[in-house]
Amino acid sequence: MVAAGSGTRRVRVAARRPESDGVVSLELVAPDGGRLPDWAPGAHVDLVLPGGRTRQYSLCGDRWDAHRYRVAVLREPDGRGGSAWVHDRLAVGDEIGLGGPRNNFPLVPAPRYLFVAGGVGITPVLPMIAQADLLGADWALLYGGRTRSSMAFTGELARHGGRVRVVPQDEAGLLDLPRFLGHPDAGTRVYGCGPGGLLDALAAATAGWPPHTLRTERFVAPAADGPVRDTAFEVHLARRGAAVTVGPGRTVLDAVADAGVEVLSSCRQGTCGTCETTVLDGEPEHRDSVLDDDERAAGDCMLVCVSRSRGPRLVLDL
């Protein structure tokens, strides 16, 4: 059984090119040349690689091109092998599975945007910039990376002139967030994507800004405190009519898989939203970095790869 909404399609690699040291972009098309699903800035897709490995990447191409997606993949030497396979083995003409698109990082309407990107975190920002231009909104981008040669898409960004500030760390040090952000402004929305340290610093720098000013997308979920409930709890699978026990140190995702219920997942770290599942009863203990405060308070969904239960029982729509 596959959870609702977890369907995938086949796509073909139409082009690939190096974008910087360690980053390669892929252009993906339908094998029959047909139309791909529409998407909006901030969306990501799941690439389903051989062996069932699933990895999520932000769409960073032209959202108005209905027949072509673009993603960029950073080689991660300490990763789980997905990025290395893409860099070393995936070739033009190959077909892979694709899930989504999904959007946990939407661009909300605003007269002014400040974008902050670190490393490959530039990818979701590229279509946001295009959308801001289309809407006539004011915007500026602060883009940091380890070295200039490691920073992807700088040539593409150059056409925006002074709106883009490229700051390689080995040349200019860490990003000066307070200087870039300026004074709090109710009409400005701040978007950030990149390493956890950068996003933590960005959250601290905007602490005095109006509520909901800052929106971020993380590569890795922030460290959580000890679980509210460290004993076993039951998960009832409403559609299956069965129940499983989730013990300490186990994930709901793994426990339901043992019961024969497959939920499509990717990051297994609570950062991508792929495994979001509807909660019919019970109170989840949220440990992800995808849901916002209102969604957490509603308690009607959870990321089963990391989140647990505050009580002895959860009922899921599985």
Side-chain angles (χ1 to χ4, degrees):
M1 174 179 176
V2 178
S6 63
T8 60
R9 69 186 66 236
R10 301 295 291 177
V11 290
R12 178 172 55 83
V13 180
R16 57 174 287 158
R17 60 180 59 88
E19 300 293 350
S20 70
D21 293 345
V23 176
V24 63
S25 68
L26 306 174
E27 291 187 2
L28 307 171
V29 299
D32 63 0
R35 185 184 181 97
L36 294 170
D38 294 338
W39 59 281
H44 72 267
V45 292
D46 303 307
L47 299 190
V48 184
L49 308 177
R53 291 175 296 183
T54 305
R55 303 292 184 266
Q56 73 280 356
Y57 299 102
S58 296
L59 288 169
C60 60
D62 179 3
R63 65 170 296 203
W64 303 110
D65 185 343
H67 296 85
R68 189 174 300 260
Y69 285 168
R70 183 177 71 169
V71 298
V73 180
L74 170 68
R75 180 190 287 275
E76 299 182 81
D78 299 324
R80 294 173 289 156
S83 66
W85 188 89
V86 169
H87 275 257
D88 297 338
R89 301 184 61 182
L90 187 61
V92 172
D94 288 349
E95 291 188 14
I96 54 175
L98 181 136
R102 301 176 181 83
N103 201 338
N104 304 312
F105 193 40
L107 187 70
V108 299
R112 181 171 180 258
Y113 300 99
L114 294 175
F115 300 109
V116 177
V120 78
I122 190 62
T123 51
V125 174
L126 294 175
M128 290 183 177
I129 286 172
Q131 184 74 3
D133 270 342
L134 181 67
L135 298 175
D138 186 22
W139 64 269
L141 165 65
L142 183 63
Y143 178 22
R146 297 186 311 277
T147 64
R148 192 175 297 273
S149 64
S150 72
M151 300 173 69
F153 303 111
T154 52
E156 191 170 309
L157 290 165
R159 68 175 182 269
H160 297 294
R163 287 189 172 196
V164 175
R165 305 179 197 177
V166 175
V167 185
Q169 185 175 345
D170 65 338
E171 298 177 19
L174 297 176
L175 299 180
D176 188 343
L177 295 175
R179 181 178 179 184
F180 175 69
L181 295 169
H183 298 293
D185 174 30
T188 298
R189 293 292 179 267
V190 181
Y191 278 75
C193 184
L198 171 62
L199 299 187
D200 290 343
L202 185 57
T206 55
W209 287 58
H212 308 299
T213 291
L214 176 64
R215 295 187 69 95
T216 61
E217 184 169 63
R218 291 178 177 265
F219 303 145
V220 178
D225 296 331
V228 172
R229 183 181 181 85
D230 59 2
T231 56
F233 58 94
E234 277 199 341
V235 172
H236 289 253
L237 310 174
R239 281 189 265 164
R240 174 58 68 90
V244 297
T245 299
V246 183
R250 294 211 74 204
T251 68
V252 176
L253 180 67
D254 288 337
V256 301
D258 287 347
V261 178
E262 180 187 352
V263 179
L264 187 67
S265 65
S266 177
C267 70
R268 291 180 172 262
Q269 296 177 322
T271 62
C272 73
T274 303
C275 67
E276 182 177 328
T277 300
T278 299
V279 177
L280 301 177
D281 193 27
E283 185 180 3
E285 178 211 339
H286 298 290
R287 303 184 72 99
D288 65 276
S289 60
V290 172
L291 302 178
D292 62 27
D293 290 342
D294 292 338
E295 291 168 325
R296 290 173 180 237
D300 56 4
C301 65
M302 66 185 289
L303 279 294
V304 294
C305 69
V306 292
S307 297
R308 295 179 63 81
S309 177
R310 291 183 179 274
R313 179 176 181 268
L314 282 175
V315 181
L316 302 182
D317 186 23
L318 294 172

